[in-house]
Amino acid sequence: MSSSSILGSSVPVTPGRLLRQEVLDISAYHVPASTGMLKMDAMENPYVLPQALRDEIARLVADAAINRYPDAGAYDLKQKIRAVSGLPPGMDVLLGNGSDELIQLLALAAVKPGAVLLSVEPSFAMYRMISAFTGMRYVGVPLADNFDLDLPATLQAIRQHQPALVFLAYPNNPTGNLFDADAIEQIIEAAPGLVVVDEAYYAFASASFISQLARFPSLLVMRTFSKLGMAGLRLGFLAGSTAWLEQLEKLRLPYNVGVLTQLVAGKLLEHHEVLLQQAEQIKEDRTWLYDRLVGTVDVRAYPSEANFILFRVTHAGRVFEGLKQRGILIKNLHGAHPALDHCLRVTVGTPEQNEQFIVALQESIHQSD
Ligand SMILES: *Cc1c(COP(=O)(O)O)cnc(C)c1O
């Protein structure tokens, strides 16, 4: 065993002695094994790209200068993102290796002793985890029974805790709904710090805060391309005024978006209509899947503006295992939060996958009774 005996100490170093308590206390983000399974757990786009576009990408990758560092400013890619995102004049973007990295970057920029990151619950688990490992104090305000914002409670928590950062997922994960937009505006007006509207599922939603950026100087909008079909590339962005972004930019590691991501994402954004068309198809598939879930006995499905649907059953654990035995992986949220008791979350698949899922679900429910 290694020890610092050269320095005269006989006590071997262990993680428990060396690392911060916050780090030791976190339970690791668990990604379940999925080999050979039909993956309907992670909000990925189930559709493949047209062959002609795949060929173009293959040529781009073949010629890519992977011996060189990427363009540190990702100039071309940022141009293309601005072109497709409908940013108001004067707004810019900051790129992240996935939007998870941007949540972390914001927390690192804002952390001071006692600084608070506030979000709502249940919502995206990374807000709490990133608070923990960056040393921010996390405050989670419970949502109302219908999963909309509890505005009085949220405003009260903002007054009490004076959060440096507020994160609101719009639509929310894992519940799938869009919060009331007026309530979000009141939160932005009341918050003493930044409010980040996390639009990871913007491509499937009927509303966005991008157009509000010019109205609210303390608003930032975060998006990812993961759910639109580029989960493997790792690319997200934060949109807002240059006054904020030029400060945050200092914390971005210079080469956080690799050569291949810049090239391939840039190419896909040149063909943005292909991705948008897939998103439209996913929205139709979502309607089909939602109607089937609503029509299944012992299932209560929640309306969704995202590419997944939350639903409640009588025995979530048994139904989840039943699906797994039938080769289908979804997400079991039972135990994640009291409001999610016996809840499961399924990502919208192709029509064939959705049918396969519904058959397996009905069998699993029947078996679990
Ligand atoms: C998936 C997701 C993200 C993170 O996506 P990345 O793949 O890291 O870009 C961020 N916020 C919400 C609400 C999500 O569901």
Side-chain angles (χ1 to χ4, degrees):
M1 176 179 270
S2 97
S3 74
S4 29
S5 56
I6 290 169
L7 300 176
S9 161
S10 57
V11 184
V13 67
T14 62
R17 270 204 196 80
L18 185 73
L19 303 181
R20 287 189 288 138
Q21 194 58 43
E22 298 93 301
V23 176
L24 299 171
D25 288 346
I26 293 171
S27 40
Y29 189 81
H30 175 63
V31 179
S34 60
T35 317
M37 306 272 286
L38 172 49
K39 258 180 84 45
M40 300 179 83
D41 66 325
M43 282 77 93
E44 293 147 329
N45 175 344
Y47 291 104
V48 294
L49 295 168
Q51 191 58 49
L53 188 46
R54 296 166 73 179
D55 292 343
E56 258 188 90
I57 290 170
R59 280 193 297 276
L60 264 181
V61 170
D63 294 339
I66 54 172
N67 55 321
R68 302 291 179 195
Y69 282 108
D71 172 5
Y75 182 82
D76 286 345
L77 180 56
K78 282 170 84 168
Q79 289 278 76
K80 286 171 182 158
I81 289 175
R82 278 191 291 260
V84 301
S85 302
L87 294 184
M91 298 297 143
D92 203 355
V93 295
L94 168 70
L95 301 190
N97 191 293
S99 52
D100 285 348
E101 189 186 49
L102 295 168
I103 304 170
Q104 176 179 273
L105 187 150
L106 281 157
L108 285 173
V111 66
K112 296 175 189 174
V116 166
L117 186 156
L118 183 143
S119 189
V120 292
E121 293 191 337
S123 188
F124 189 44
M126 291 310 289
Y127 304 144
R128 168 181 234 135
M129 285 186 70
I130 286 173
S131 302
F133 58 70
T134 57
M136 290 201 82
R137 188 159 72 80
Y138 172 80
V139 173
V141 182
L143 292 173
D145 286 344
N146 62 358
F147 293 140
D148 203 347
L149 293 168
D150 181 341
L151 185 60
T154 310
L155 293 176
Q156 164 58 29
I158 287 172
R159 269 193 302 277
Q160 187 186 339
H161 299 287
Q162 297 288 306
L165 297 173
V166 175
F167 278 89
L168 296 171
Y170 186 80
N172 190 34
N173 171 15
T175 57
N177 56 313
L178 282 174
F179 298 138
D180 182 74
D182 286 338
I184 294 182
E185 292 188 9
Q186 290 189 53
I187 288 169
I188 297 168
E189 277 164 352
L194 280 171
V195 175
V196 183
V197 174
D198 178 352
E199 297 189 347
Y201 301 97
Y202 73 96
F204 315 100
S206 60
S208 163
F209 270 79
I210 283 266
S211 66
Q212 305 288 345
L213 280 170
R215 244 182 93 198
F216 298 109
S218 60
L219 170 68
L220 297 175
V221 174
M222 192 170 73
R223 286 186 171 181
T224 174
F225 292 109
S226 293
K227 282 55 190 232
L228 189 57
M230 305 187 213
L233 292 179
R234 307 303 298 132
L235 181 66
F237 69 89
L238 195 62
S241 68
T242 47
W244 287 112
L245 297 192
E246 71 189 7
Q247 295 301 326
L248 297 170
E249 187 70 43
K250 297 175 187 170
L251 274 137
R252 186 180 65 83
L253 299 177
Y255 304 115
N256 67 329
V257 181
V259 168
L260 298 181
T261 296
Q262 290 193 32
L263 279 174
V264 178
K267 174 56 66 186
L268 288 175
L269 292 180
E270 281 172 26
H271 296 273
H272 197 226
E273 75 290 346
V274 172
L275 299 173
L276 292 182
Q277 207 203 320
Q278 291 185 340
E280 281 310 307
Q281 179 65 48
I282 290 168
K283 282 155 67 177
E284 280 178 34
D285 302 334
R286 175 181 73 198
T287 303
W288 184 92
L289 185 58
Y290 179 74
D291 291 345
R292 290 307 170 289
L293 283 168
V294 167
T296 301
V297 280
D298 290 340
V299 170
R300 170 164 183 211
Y302 293 88
S304 171
E305 297 247 4
N307 63 343
F308 59 83
I309 298 175
L310 182 78
F311 63 101
R312 207 183 287 272
V313 294
T314 313
H315 298 293
R318 291 190 218 160
V319 172
F320 175 77
E321 286 304 323
L323 284 163
K324 222 162 127 180
Q325 281 160 20
R326 291 168 177 79
I328 298 176
L329 185 64
I330 64 168
K331 176 87 175 172
N332 184 1
L333 292 159
H334 183 72
H337 187 273
L340 298 174
D341 261 4
H342 291 288
C343 280
L344 299 167
R345 185 190 66 198
V346 61
T347 303
V348 178
T350 63
E352 300 72 41
Q353 293 168 351
N354 295 335
E355 264 173 59
Q356 201 184 326
F357 162 75
I358 287 291
V359 170
L361 176 71
Q362 286 167 347
E363 290 173 8
S364 304
I365 288 173
H366 190 69
Q367 190 183 40
S368 75
D369 277 343

